[in-house]
Each structure stands twice: as structure tokens, then as C-alpha cells.
Amino acid sequence: MGFLKRLLGGSDGDPRRDIERAETLLAKGEIERALELAERAAGRGSPSQEQSAADVARRARRALVDGALEKAALAESSEYFEDAAEWLETAIEHLDDEPRRAELTERRAALLTRAEEAEQEAPWEPPPEADVEPGTEVDPDSHYMALVDMFRESAAELYTSLPAAFRRAYVDLNEGRPEKAMPVLDDLADGAEDPVLHFERGRCRLMLGDAEGAVDDLETAWEAFGDEPLDRVGELSVPGFWADAMLGLGRGRQVIERLGDLADPAADNPALSEIYGEALLAENRLDEARRFLTGAAIRYPSRPAFSHQLAMALGRSGERAAAIDCLEASIAPSCASGGCAKPPKHLPSIRFLASLYLDQGGHADRVHQLMTLVAQALRGRLGGEDHSLLGKYYDEIGDPEAAEHARSEARRLRDAGSAAGDLEAAPALGGAPHKRAPL
């Protein structure tokens, strides 16, 4: 994140505010974010603030260690030895007690040995199919309640009071069958005041490409639900879907005007910050985008979409070298030693980085590495954007036959409407940003 901090002129924020937010997040159970803010406040405040930051960091680390040890014990008791070893690794990272670290390191090594032995003794086989009578399906009510469990209590209560017809339509919508859900939602929502019906019809309309109709429904739902996310993890909100619909209509300016305060990174709503960044890019407000996305990328380092958006703003501003530095810093944690294990690869960032190197020329080896990562992540099922990039790569290394084959495959996939592996493909520097798919 050093690169991003340099873009902000070295500003690290207000230590008092960081400590206050860390306390709030720790109380809410958002432990990793609390630790991040407490560590950021360390060394930058008064002696009393230093002590407060150290206290919050100590409590956060202890909570992380306790939680990791609990999950490790549960995984081990279920004979998921490799998972147990990973949880122990998390605990070790946050311990400063050397004897305890040594003990857990030894225990972790033993678990990995047991995992290897278990794999050798019992080769993996597909699990047997469930013994289900022909023609039966998963209980829709159980499926519905499992989905509703994602919501905060106040929203969940509204969903549990709706009739069976809505429940079936809701399951269809979340299973990717909006065309089946739409007639039911349309019938229920017409003339109704229930915000849930308008919210879900708005989502359904958005999935079916009716952004104008979606805006109408979401405006109605927004009045009732307000600005706060409906789900427990903070990703599902009426303003977010409204902004998706508005961007689909080319109304990025209205999104910027209405979501300014809600999307501020300090408001701790990264999903809205992300779509606000998309709106800034869609409106080509590059200076604003650079400032906003730099702050968002620093505040949310685990969300690579912000670094991707920032690189797009830098690239469109002619700062291609800075865009490359930004993306290299972003993908480094997930691609150290070529493993790209944790956190997962962010394919739009990797694709965009490859395209920047290809435009610059002279980096064929690095492009080869990046495209190999994409191919590994997609298990070889490359999309049209990937084949287009490969065509440019083969041109650069002087293999015209392979280049033409790659371009031919890209055309075939586009003509066939196949998007396998091509979700969120990196757009050209002058193009509009990718629009997020509705949840």
C-alpha cells in the first residue's frame, strides 16, 4: 500500500478517529478491520492515543487468536486437518508469545502431516448422490429461509411474513431464473406498498435489462428501507442496486450527486464506495476518481476492485507507469511466489495489467506469467477478452499463426455470446468501466 499512500501525499488519517472507529468495529465483531485501524493509529498520536491504539490492537489480536484456535479445534475434530492447520497459521500470525508460537507451529506441522497421510490413505472420490426420490426437489421453504438468514433481523422479519408465491419467486430470482420470477413479482407488487415486493421486483427488472423500471421500484423501496444495507455483511442495499440501474441508463452524474456522502470510504460501506468509483469513471471525472479511489484502496486493502478502478483512472490520465505500479502492488499478496492462493486472484486486475504491459511493449515474459495465472484460475476456459490479449501477446513474440488463432477464438466466443471466464473483463482505457452484475 506504500504506492497508494504516496498518491495521497503520505496522509494516514486522524489517529483519534481511527481509534474510535476501531473500538466500534471491534464491538461489532469486525476484528480484522479494527486491528488494521488500530495499527494505523499507532505512532501517530499523543501518548494517551498511543496507549488506546495499543489496547485496541491487543484486544483485537487476542480475539483473532481465540477465534482461530476455536475454528482449528473444530476443524481437527471433523478431521479437516489442512483447514485446521490454516487456522493455526492465522493464530500464530497474531501471537507475540514465542513459546506459544513455537507450540502452535509444531502442532500445525503435525496437522499437515496428518493431512498428507489421510490423502494417501483415502484417495478422493465424488460423494455419493443423495438418496432422493425421483421427481422430488429441495424443500423451497427451507431454501427460502436459508436465503433470508443473510438479512439483518429487521429486514428478515419483513421477508418471513410474505406468502408462498413470493417465496417461490424469490428462490427463482436468487437461483438465476428472473424470467420465471417476474410474472409473480409483477402481480404481487402492482398496487402494493410493501417495500420488499418493490425491492425484489426492482432487482428482477434489473436482471432482465429493464433498468428504467428497476429505478422506479428501487426508489419506492429506498423510501422505506433507507440507506443502510439489508444483509449482515453489508453488501446488499437499495442504494447499491439503484446506482447499478442508473449506471445502466448512463446516469452516472445522478449517482455521484446522490451517493456522495453514503459512498465516502470513511462511512464504511465499501460496496457503495465501489459503485461510486464506477460512476466517477463512467463520467470521466478522473481527478476526482484518483483522489477518491486512492483513499478507498488504502481503507479497504482486501478489496482489489478499488486498486483496479484506480489503475483505470491513472491509465486514462496517461499515467500508465503509475497504473502498472498500482496493479502490481494490488495483485502481489495473492500472487506471491506464483502461487496466488490467498487472497484469491482478481482477474480484472490481472487482465488489465497484462493489457497495459502489452501496450507498453517489451514485457512479454511478464504478460506470459499473468495470462498463465488467468488460465489457471479459469481452468483453461478462457473468454473472448483473454484470447484478444493472447493475440496481442503472440504478435509481440513474433508468432503470427498463434496470434491469428487467438483472435479467431475471440471472435468465435463473442459471436456465440459465450462469456466463460470473461466476467468483469478489463475495458479499454477509453471505455466505460465494467458494470457490476446484480446479486
Side-chain angles (χ1 to χ4, degrees):
M1 289 294 111
F3 166 79
L4 296 173
K5 289 181 180 179
R6 289 197 299 275
L7 282 180
L8 275 184
S11 173
D12 287 315
D14 177 4
R16 179 186 59 79
R17 179 176 174 79
D18 282 347
I19 294 167
E20 290 174 354
R21 295 199 66 78
E23 286 279 14
T24 300
L25 290 168
L26 188 59
K28 291 167 59 178
E30 299 181 35
I31 303 169
E32 292 183 4
R33 178 69 180 135
L35 177 59
E36 176 189 326
L37 289 175
E39 290 179 337
R40 190 171 80 173
R44 296 186 294 107
S46 65
S48 63
Q49 288 172 336
E50 284 281 308
Q51 185 175 352
S52 296
D55 177 61
V56 176
R58 177 184 55 78
R59 287 185 282 128
R61 290 193 192 96
R62 184 174 62 196
L64 284 172
V65 170
D66 291 345
L69 291 177
E70 181 180 346
K71 291 181 176 67
L74 180 61
E76 183 177 1
S77 68
S78 302
E79 299 188 356
Y80 292 114
F81 302 122
E82 191 169 354
D83 288 350
E86 289 185 8
W87 284 115
L88 286 184
E89 183 178 1
T90 299
I92 292 167
E93 288 175 2
H94 296 288
L95 273 173
D96 54 11
D97 181 343
E98 286 303 323
R100 183 66 169 145
R101 283 171 61 91
E103 176 191 340
L104 293 181
T105 299
E106 184 177 343
R107 180 178 161 195
R108 177 179 176 276
L111 285 168
L112 290 174
T113 299
R114 293 179 69 184
E116 292 176 3
E117 292 173 350
E119 186 174 353
Q120 293 170 0
E121 292 173 3
W124 182 87
E125 294 181 1
E129 294 186 8
D131 185 14
V132 180
E133 292 295 326
T136 62
E137 298 179 353
V138 176
D139 177 26
D141 280 339
S142 298
H143 192 174
Y144 178 78
M145 293 309 300
L147 291 170
V148 171
D149 278 345
M150 297 187 304
F151 289 107
R152 296 184 179 185
E153 186 175 350
S154 57
E157 289 176 358
L158 297 176
Y159 276 76
T160 54
S161 65
L162 290 166
F166 171 82
R167 297 183 177 211
R168 288 192 295 270
Y170 183 76
V171 170
D172 285 332
L173 180 61
N174 284 274
E175 289 290 299
R177 297 184 293 270
E179 67 289 340
K180 185 175 179 181
M182 189 63 213
V184 178
L185 294 174
D186 214 10
D187 183 57
L188 291 171
D190 274 346
E193 297 182 359
D194 191 319
V196 171
L197 298 177
H198 286 282
F199 177 54
E200 296 303 339
R201 186 171 68 172
R203 284 210 306 141
C204 193
R205 283 174 160 173
L206 190 56
M207 292 175 72
L208 292 171
D210 178 12
E212 196 77 59
V215 167
D216 291 340
D217 271 325
L218 294 167
E219 290 276 9
T220 300
W222 198 344
E223 292 178 8
F225 281 125
D227 302 328
E228 293 301 311
L230 305 183
D231 64 326
R232 298 178 188 275
V233 297
E235 295 288 326
L236 192 70
S237 70
V238 180
F241 284 100
W242 172 86
D244 265 328
M246 292 293 281
L247 284 180
L249 295 169
R251 300 174 187 169
R253 182 177 58 81
Q254 290 94 320
V255 172
I256 295 168
E257 291 172 353
R258 192 164 179 182
L259 293 191
D261 292 337
L262 294 176
D264 188 315
D268 276 333
N269 196 332
L272 286 186
S273 297
E274 187 176 327
I275 199 166
Y276 186 82
E278 291 182 20
L280 290 172
L281 290 172
E283 293 298 304
N284 216 35
R285 292 162 67 160
L286 300 181
D287 288 341
E288 292 176 64
R290 171 175 163 158
R291 290 191 297 271
F292 177 84
L293 293 167
T294 299
I298 289 175
R299 180 169 282 271
Y300 304 111
S302 62
R303 293 181 76 105
F306 290 121
S307 294
H308 177 233
Q309 291 176 335
L310 175 59
M312 291 173 64
L314 292 167
R316 291 188 200 174
S317 300
E319 301 179 64
R320 290 175 181 265
I324 287 172
D325 287 346
C326 177
L327 290 171
E328 287 286 13
S330 172
I331 70 172
S334 61
C335 294
S337 305
C340 283
K342 294 184 299 183
K345 308 179 197 66
H346 186 246
L347 295 187
S349 292
I350 297 176
R351 289 181 175 119
F352 190 30
L353 182 56
S355 72
L356 289 168
Y357 277 130
L358 286 167
D359 290 341
Q360 192 176 71
H363 298 276
D365 288 347
R366 182 57 175 148
V367 173
H368 182 275
Q369 294 169 355
L370 294 168
M371 295 310 296
T372 298
L373 294 175
V374 173
Q376 289 171 345
L378 298 175
R379 299 182 180 180
R381 296 191 297 271
L382 300 179
E385 176 72 13
D386 303 317
H387 285 288
S388 294
L389 290 171
L390 287 175
K392 295 178 181 179
Y393 163 75
Y394 288 124
D395 280 335
E396 180 161 332
I397 66 172
D399 190 341
E401 184 177 348
E404 180 52 37
H405 175 76
R407 282 191 285 269
S408 175
E409 188 66 10
R411 288 191 296 269
R412 183 188 70 79
L413 287 171
R414 282 195 292 268
D415 291 344
S418 172
D422 208 14
L423 303 178
E424 297 185 302
L429 288 178
H434 168 75
K435 180 177 177 296
R436 296 186 301 124
L439 298 178

